[in-house]
Amino acid sequence: MNEPIAAEWRPALARSVVLRHDRVRGADLLVLPERVVVLSGRAVEVLRLCDGHRRVGEIVDELAARFPGAPVADEVPRFLGRVREEGWLR
């Protein structure tokens, strides 16, 4: 179940998760214990901003500036919530 995202949450990748670009595949990956997730769309751009310093609102603001008109205010918090449920963010 998606929990509401806390305004003060400063998302960061879980300690066991690594964000990596695979030059051979030309793809961005989340490398997890015993699993690799191929990222699509703008997911990598969102996750790169999850540095443990920026709040969710700051991530949304940064992406809104990069992609004017995109529905980041709704989609980014939902995406971050799903990724947190998977255990990939802390």
Side-chain angles (χ1 to χ4, degrees), residues 16-51:
S16 61
V17 177
V18 177
L19 183 60
R20 193 177 108 199
H21 181 74
D22 184 331
R23 287 181 282 158
V24 173
R25 294 182 198 172
D28 293 300
L29 311 171
L30 276 182
V31 181
L32 311 151
E34 301 182 25
R35 185 173 176 195
V36 173
V37 176
V38 179
L39 300 172
S40 62
R42 301 283 184 201
V44 71
E45 295 187 53
V46 176
L47 294 174
R48 281 191 181 129
L49 295 174
C50 295
D51 58 8

